[in-house]
Amino acid sequence: MIAKVVHGWRAGGLLAYLFGPGVADEHQNPRVVATWDGRDAAWQPARRGAGEHDLELGPLIRALQAPAVAAGLPLRAPKDAGRGYVWHCSVRLAESDRVRRPAGLRASPRCWLGSP
């Protein structure tokens, strides 16, 4: 397994990238597989059109930004800012690894982060 962490300030920008086609059309069948509150299916963005990436991300973006807003944190990088509080950990499995189903994917972040 190879993991890479990227830090930033814009939860909306990260979600737009993850639910979009990606750099080389690698984001196929984008979906929410695990959430902070256990309501995985409820946070799945609704379709706005026929395209695979034509999704309504607003509710999910607002929910992810809510803690930052409540804490008075900026939603964009301030001038001379360091690493942001939004981070994304990409994980790539070996091609020989089994295909992971949603139930297995939900357990994976807890395992990687050392949570029960």
Side-chain angles (χ1 to χ4, degrees):
M1 173 179 73
I2 300 171
K4 176 183 176 186
V5 176
V6 177
H7 298 264
W9 291 89
R10 296 176 46 239
L14 175 60
L15 287 175
Y17 167 72
L18 292 174
F19 280 92
V23 176
D25 202 26
E26 68 271 21
H27 297 168
Q28 298 175 7
N29 189 23
R31 64 203 180 280
V32 173
V33 294
T35 61
W36 63 96
D37 61 1
R39 299 180 327 127
D40 310 335
W43 289 113
Q44 181 62 45
R47 295 229 178 257
R48 292 188 307 196
E52 178 180 28
H53 304 289
D54 193 8
L55 304 168
E56 176 52 54
L57 298 176
L60 185 55
I61 290 170
R62 286 188 293 279
L64 288 177
Q65 288 177 335
V69 169
L73 297 172
L75 299 180
R76 295 197 173 272
K79 192 173 184 174
D80 300 327
R83 286 198 221 181
Y85 55 85
V86 175
W87 64 277
H88 173 239
C89 180
S90 303
V91 177
R92 186 180 191 303
L93 303 173
E95 288 188 31
S96 60
D97 285 354
R98 65 184 169 83
V99 173
R100 295 199 176 226
R101 303 286 178 230
L105 288 171
R106 279 190 287 276
S108 296
R110 291 178 183 90
C111 175
W112 297 327
L113 295 172
S115 301

